[in-house]
Amino acid sequence: MAKSWIQRLFQKRDYTHIGCIDFGTAYSKVSIVASEMSEDLMAQDIHGLAIGRDVSTNPFLLPSLLYVDEDTVRFGAHAETAARRGERRGRAPFMSPKQYLSTHALDELDDRLPVEIDPTEGYSARKLITLYLAFLLRRAEDAAREIKLDWPPRFRIARPAWDRERADWGETTLRTLVRHAFILVDRFGDDILSKEGLAHDAIHDAFDAIPDTSDFPDEEIFEISETGTATVPEATAVAAASLRPGERRVVVVADIGGGTSDFAAFVTGRPGHNVVAEIEGSACVLRQAGDFLDMQLRRLLVNKAGLLPDDPAARGAVAMIRARQRSLKETLFAEGRVVAEAGDQFVEMTLDEFLADEHVQAFAERLRDTFKQSVDLAVDFARYLSQGSHTQVRVDILPTGGGHDLPMVREMIRKIGHDWRFSTIAPELLASNNDDFNAVSRQLAVSVGGAVLELPRQVGAVAA
């Protein structure tokens, strides 16, 4: 007799591997890594899953969006196509779902969404995030089986370096979202991959049937740390994916994503000691990143077009810019100028104009100030380690994430403001013979590192 859809949540997990969900703002990633010590990991033990194949420009990146229309919810490439069709009607996809977890008030997750996102007025951010995670897990299952990996492994979930209150809330919330997403995968099966999407009645019936999962055996579903958590801060995950012990050094991770900019400082052990430790107090987060710049570009283009965003006559033109703001920003940074369609006119913006804007400059300053908090502790620790030595212990800067090459990130690293020995490095565990993987290795650092068996421990900061 076949298992029912709810019993399948209890299916046996693969203990020989660990998975990590990097629930990204712009793109989501899933990786699976063999449960081996870091020094024993080989390239063939590290698996980025091709969850974005036939959906994205890179097979390892799955766009973090879905689209609600009058009859269905669509996912992946079908959601992007539907969103483009809806631009002129003032419609918008549900984008950057992780940003709701990072920037919205903790009690807003169950509020109704704006009508331009949900014309049915039947969905909360919590429901759409759960649906998106179900789609992501279904894509990950296919990708894992394609490369002959057992499914599912036990999972960790990457998260920003939230403050204590949001981290505690996020731990509980993310576990629940993933449990419910697994249940929805079993409920919908292949229908969640359908070009036509899922009908609203079927979705609401499925959510109504989800039982209370608070007593489910999380140790069977998640890789639980010594501190009892299934989540791992993104900068900590980057360090796990990027640092091989060897010479003693200090490393500052700058993980610049779509919704948050995460920083932390780490120290490697003496030769022969396989230890990577996080310097206590060095983890900090700016709850602004690439998406904030998208918003500023949209503001500048709309203003240059002479439009008022809240005027009904401008709704279609503003929606057109909003739907393309991420690609417009990428073009602006790559080519130094961009031309955007805004209704019946075209608007040009140069990179110099954009970088001169007071709000963009203020963001760059906040980014530098947050980065400096980690760098200051890193230099203090490097100075302490260098006592009695003829050479300074080097401080390495490791930029990762989709925004690692933003102009203000390059400038922030170039002007650190300390008289010390610095270098800029790339992730060290992520070498591959796969060109698609290498092209986004800095974006995969979180999902790979979050799946590494031994995560960095913590070491106390140097006393003043």
Side-chain angles (χ1 to χ4, degrees):
M1 181 177 177
K3 295 181 180 179
S4 73
W5 63 272
I6 187 62
Q7 289 174 331
R8 290 178 65 183
L9 187 64
F10 292 93
Q11 69 189 95
K12 184 179 178 181
R13 260 57 183 177
D14 173 20
Y15 280 73
T16 66
H17 291 79
I18 299 170
C20 180
I21 301 167
D22 177 14
F23 188 25
T25 301
Y27 296 99
S28 292
K29 288 79 65 179
V30 178
S31 294
I32 295 178
V33 176
S35 299
E36 304 284 349
M37 302 300 288
S38 295
E39 70 267 27
D40 297 325
L41 287 174
M42 308 291 286
Q44 60 266 29
D45 298 320
I46 298 171
H47 309 277
L49 298 186
I51 59 175
R53 181 172 295 154
D54 303 323
V55 175
S56 177
T57 55
N58 186 288
F60 298 102
L61 307 180
L62 184 70
S64 297
L65 64 81
L66 50 75
Y67 189 81
V68 182
D69 62 24
E70 287 72 13
D71 302 311
T72 62
V73 175
R74 300 173 187 267
F75 305 88
H78 310 308
E80 292 186 309
T81 300
R84 285 194 292 272
R85 288 199 303 264
E87 290 168 6
R88 292 184 182 275
R89 296 185 288 116
R91 292 293 320 285
F94 182 71
M95 298 176 61
S96 308
K98 189 178 72 170
Q99 202 164 31
Y100 279 84
L101 304 178
S102 293
T103 61
H104 286 60
L106 303 187
D107 59 358
E108 289 183 2
L109 201 59
D110 293 305
D111 290 351
R112 285 184 176 179
L113 292 164
V115 69
E116 62 265 25
I117 293 175
D118 173 22
T120 73
E121 300 185 12
Y123 292 100
S124 64
R126 182 189 299 275
K127 281 191 173 181
L128 292 188
I129 291 171
T130 307
L131 275 173
Y132 175 77
L133 271 173
F135 176 69
L136 179 150
L137 287 170
R138 185 65 184 82
R139 300 276 306 187
E141 179 178 0
D142 282 353
R145 295 195 187 285
E146 185 176 330
I147 56 176
K148 296 179 170 52
L149 288 176
D150 288 338
W151 180 268
R154 291 186 299 175
F155 275 100
R156 293 194 187 110
I157 315 164
R159 65 164 177 84
W162 292 322
D163 60 35
R164 175 60 62 85
E165 180 185 10
R166 190 173 289 269
D168 290 344
W169 170 86
E171 175 74 25
T172 301
T173 299
L174 285 167
R175 287 198 200 192
T176 302
L177 290 171
V178 171
R179 288 196 300 262
H180 288 184
F182 268 116
I183 291 172
L184 292 181
V185 170
D186 291 333
R187 178 70 177 246
F188 295 131
D190 289 345
D191 289 348
I192 201 168
L193 304 176
S194 167
K195 178 180 179 181
E196 289 72 29
L198 294 173
H200 298 310
D201 288 347
I203 292 171
H204 294 311
D205 288 347
F207 273 102
D208 289 341
I210 292 177
D212 178 10
T213 63
S214 57
D215 292 331
F216 274 36
D218 274 356
E219 67 276 6
E220 294 296 323
I221 302 168
F222 301 104
E223 178 73 16
I224 307 296
S225 71
E226 294 178 356
T227 59
T229 62
T231 61
V232 54
E234 290 168 2
T236 302
V238 170
S242 306
L243 305 181
R244 285 195 183 276
E247 64 175 311
R248 186 147 232 199
R249 58 190 171 139
V250 178
V251 180
V252 178
V253 170
D255 184 54
I256 315 299
T260 62
S261 302
D262 289 76
F263 305 93
F266 300 84
V267 58
T268 60
R270 296 182 182 88
H273 292 73
N274 182 27
V275 175
V276 176
E278 179 182 331
I279 299 173
E280 184 180 7
S282 68
C284 47
V285 60
L286 175 65
R287 290 194 287 177
Q288 293 175 342
D291 272 14
F292 182 82
L293 295 179
D294 295 351
M295 179 176 65
Q296 299 311 314
L297 179 57
R298 182 176 81 238
R299 172 182 59 82
L300 290 168
L301 290 171
V302 168
N303 183 62
K304 205 167 186 181
L307 302 173
L308 292 175
D310 59 349
D311 192 293
R315 185 177 300 164
V318 173
M320 290 172 66
I321 294 175
R322 179 173 56 191
R324 292 181 168 88
Q325 61 190 23
R326 188 169 292 150
S327 61
L328 291 172
K329 180 193 68 181
E330 292 169 356
T331 299
L332 177 66
F333 288 151
E335 300 179 8
R337 66 185 287 273
V338 69
V339 177
E341 184 179 2
D344 296 327
Q345 60 178 311
F346 291 89
V347 185
E348 180 180 356
M349 176 69 57
T350 68
L351 182 57
D352 287 343
E353 284 180 278
F354 181 74
L355 296 178
D357 177 73
E358 60 176 327
H359 296 289
V360 175
Q361 290 188 348
F363 164 75
E365 184 175 351
R366 290 190 294 272
L367 194 70
R368 286 193 301 270
D369 289 346
T370 311
F371 176 59
K372 187 175 184 297
Q373 294 176 45
S374 290
V375 171
D376 287 350
L377 287 174
V379 172
D380 287 345
F381 210 96
R383 185 175 287 114
Y384 165 75
L385 295 176
S386 301
Q387 292 177 2
S389 174
H390 296 295
T391 60
Q392 290 182 347
V393 170
R394 189 177 75 243
V395 175
D396 292 334
I397 309 298
L398 173 58
T400 59
H404 74 275
D405 201 34
L406 289 171
M408 53 283 297
V409 174
R410 294 198 303 268
E411 184 73 1
M412 143 190 121
I413 294 173
R414 191 174 68 84
K415 296 182 176 179
I416 289 180
H418 277 281
D419 183 17
W420 201 257
R421 187 163 66 110
F422 292 96
S423 66
T424 303
I425 63 171
E428 295 167 359
L429 275 182
L430 299 181
S432 170
N433 58 5
N434 185 310
D435 290 341
D436 287 327
F437 185 98
N438 291 332
V440 294
S441 62
R442 290 182 189 265
Q443 289 168 268
L444 292 171
V446 169
S447 66
V448 170
V452 169
L453 176 64
E454 192 173 39
L455 296 175
R457 302 163 189 173
Q458 197 166 83
V459 63
V462 177

